[in-house]
Amino acid sequence: MMISKALTIAGSDSGGGAGIQADLKTFQELSVYGMSAITAVTAQNTLGVQGVYPLTLEAITQQLDSIGLDLKPNAVKTGMLFNSDIIRIVAKKIQQYSWSNLVVDPVMVAKGGSTLLQQEAVQSLINHLLPLALVTTPNIPEAEMITNRSITTIDDRKEAAKIIHAMGSKYVVLKGGHDTSTKAVVDLLYDGHEFIFMENQRVQTRHTHGTGCTYSAAVTAELAKGKTVPEATHIAKAFIQAAIEDELGIGAGHGPTNHFAYQSRLRGMNLEANRQ
Ligand SMILES: Nc1ncnc2c1ncn2[C@@H]1O[C@H](COP(=O)(O)OP(=O)(O)O)[C@@H](O)[C@H]1O
Ligand SMILES: Cc1ncc(COP(=O)(O)O)c(N)n1
């Protein structure tokens, strides 16, 4: 059996809703073999981030070498990278091992406000990582940081997507979760030529911890299986919508999304179809 393989290079979330844990759960649900290189350990739960412990460059390099010298990921994603030294070493290893299908989720700030990428590292992300990206998936505040512009209108979003594309990312998904002014949640996909709007009903919930990680992991899993970027982002949007809608209600704060939901629904539909 030939199984598709995906690698996540990101931070660990002890609460299990975001970071490495969200990525591996998503890979598994989408039938992709998951691998991980951990950049930082966070002490985190649904109430917030209690501690951030970046790993040494040696530990990060060794994990990437262990994977690069043996296992060949079909797609790779980056999440929390924390500082510019980590970004530089990650970019170097991605090039050294010729890893393609790179999804860059430019994680900067946790939902509760804790810093997951130091301010001075944004320029390193632009210089070293975006030129390697097949897809970059900023939310609105991240796109504002990368482009140094404020984003309020749809035209602002389009302009920001163009700027990020010009920085070297072949596709840009500017996610719309942070724009609460409309009933729909609209993600904007840009390929350098045209804009595709991907839209779903906004779910009224506080349980959105790890939505960005889960979404970009789903894109990565589908790319690993050979899907195109428009196909992968379409499936990822359905995956995250199901994960937010079927909430688990875990924890006293901003709970995790439901990584089981997408497959449970598909199984349900298959059962229905078999009954007819
Ligand atoms: N309340 C919601 N209802 C439905 N989809 C959402 C909701 N919040 C976020 N999403 C979707 O989840 C993904 C992550 O969105 P976003 O919140 O913008 O990013 P991040 O989690 O990185 O801050 C996007 O595909 C977005 O459309
Ligand atoms: C280790 C880690 N990585 C990323 C996030 C961002 O989470 P979100 O996907 O909700 O923006 C997080 N809270 N913790």
Side-chain angles (χ1 to χ4, degrees):
M1 176 187 173
M2 276 289 281
I3 188 149
S4 304
K5 297 170 289 211
L7 165 65
T8 169
I9 306 169
S12 162
D13 168 9
S14 55
I20 290 282
Q21 288 78 0
D23 296 344
L24 291 177
K25 290 174 192 180
T26 304
F27 292 165
Q28 184 84 9
E29 287 294 310
L30 292 171
S31 308
V32 168
Y33 179 82
M35 297 168 278
S36 64
I38 297 179
T39 54
V41 172
T42 71
Q44 200 173 162
N45 57 24
T46 66
L47 299 171
V49 180
Q50 291 83 40
V52 175
Y53 303 91
L55 266 61
T56 60
L57 291 181
E58 190 189 356
I60 297 167
T61 306
Q62 216 172 5
Q63 293 175 79
L64 295 170
D65 284 335
S66 294
I67 293 159
L69 294 170
D70 182 25
L71 304 151
K72 299 205 173 348
N74 304 101
V76 177
K77 73 157 271 191
T78 62
M80 173 187 178
L81 297 174
F82 194 62
N83 64 33
S84 26
D85 287 343
I86 297 178
I87 290 175
R88 271 196 291 271
I89 196 73
V90 166
K92 187 177 144 198
K93 291 292 162 186
I94 288 169
Q95 287 172 290
Q96 181 181 332
Y97 293 112
S98 304
W99 287 333
S100 57
N101 290 331
L102 176 66
V103 178
V104 174
D105 183 10
V107 172
M108 293 183 188
V109 180
K111 295 249 153 60
S114 299
T115 300
L116 302 177
L117 181 73
Q118 290 172 352
Q119 187 106 10
E120 46 84 26
V122 176
Q123 199 54 47
S124 302
L125 188 101
I126 295 169
N127 293 346
H128 301 290
L129 217 47
L130 293 193
L132 308 179
L134 174 61
V135 195
T136 305
T137 62
N139 60 25
I140 292 172
E142 289 159 356
E144 289 183 322
M145 288 293 291
I146 293 170
T147 61
N148 206 15
R149 301 162 67 99
S150 79
I151 299 174
T152 43
T153 64
I154 290 287
D155 280 344
D156 293 340
R157 279 198 224 178
K158 286 184 170 176
E159 203 46 46
K162 280 185 181 171
I163 294 171
I164 297 170
H165 178 267
M167 288 168 172
S169 181
K170 293 184 188 61
Y171 289 81
V172 179
V173 181
L174 216 167
K175 299 171 297 183
H178 292 246
D179 176 7
T180 51
S181 67
T182 56
K183 278 199 172 146
V185 186
V186 185
D187 296 348
L188 180 65
L189 173 66
Y190 182 59
D191 63 359
H193 302 287
E194 57 174 353
F195 295 98
I196 298 174
F197 290 90
M198 284 171 294
E199 148 167 6
N200 258 328
Q201 195 74 16
R202 172 175 294 279
V203 185
Q204 295 302 335
T205 177
R206 64 190 159 93
H207 300 303
T208 55
H209 175 60
T211 49
C213 303
T214 301
Y215 171 81
S216 56
V219 174
T220 310
E222 293 303 316
L223 291 174
K225 291 191 273 189
K227 294 283 195 315
T228 65
V229 174
E231 288 166 348
T233 51
H234 187 74
I235 294 168
K237 182 79 172 153
F239 189 97
I240 194 63
Q241 185 73 14
I244 300 172
E245 279 178 1
D246 296 0
E247 66 179 42
L248 295 168
I250 289 174
H254 295 285
T257 69
N258 180 351
H259 296 97
F260 301 109
Y262 180 77
Q263 281 303 343
S264 303
R265 288 182 182 191
L266 286 184
R267 274 192 294 274
M269 282 192 309
N270 287 339
L271 279 177
E272 280 298 309
N274 287 341
R275 271 197 209 105
Q276 281 155 13

